[in-house]
Amino acid sequence: MLFLNDNPTLKISIQGHTNALGTDDYNLNLSQSRAKVVFDFLTEKGIDEKRLSYEGFGELKPIENNDTEIGKRKNRRVEFLILEE
């Protein structure tokens, strides 16, 4: 949040992800909910919602293999993508 406050023209996309457990629909909804919680937190802390967007990708963009517990854990995440500086 400090980074966003220090860079008031920055626009970001909040991106939610899941591991491969569960159905595609469930994972998509879960990832969207994860991203929305972060969006809500930031707006409640005073970050202008016009600077933020959010979306969920479900299990479509893994960063690790889903065959291990460590891989599954790493795939359950929220990432920030800078859209505009």
Side-chain angles (χ1 to χ4, degrees):
M1 192 170 56
L2 182 60
F3 183 74
L4 290 172
N5 285 331
D6 289 346
N7 297 279
T9 60
L10 200 68
K11 293 185 179 180
I12 64 167
S13 171
I14 304 162
Q15 302 181 343
H17 303 274
T18 66
N19 60 31
L21 298 177
T23 66
D24 291 346
D25 286 341
Y26 176 82
N27 286 336
L28 183 59
N29 289 329
L30 178 59
S31 65
Q32 290 169 339
S33 294
R34 283 187 176 143
K36 177 78 163 79
V37 166
V38 175
F39 174 88
D40 290 343
F41 174 82
L42 292 173
T43 56
E44 287 170 11
K45 297 296 181 184
I47 304 298
D48 186 348
E49 68 180 59
K50 293 176 189 161
R51 298 175 55 199
L52 308 172
S53 63
Y54 68 91
E55 60 186 315
F57 292 97
E59 62 194 68
L60 296 178
K61 296 184 176 187
I63 57 172
E64 290 288 335
N65 188 314
N66 278 301
D67 293 335
T68 67
E69 286 305 313
I70 292 172
K72 290 175 193 173
R73 213 173 312 140
K74 289 182 178 182
N75 288 329
R76 294 187 298 260
R77 68 195 189 282
V78 173
E79 296 179 325
F80 299 92
L81 177 66
I82 296 173
L83 301 175
E84 190 176 313
E85 292 186 45

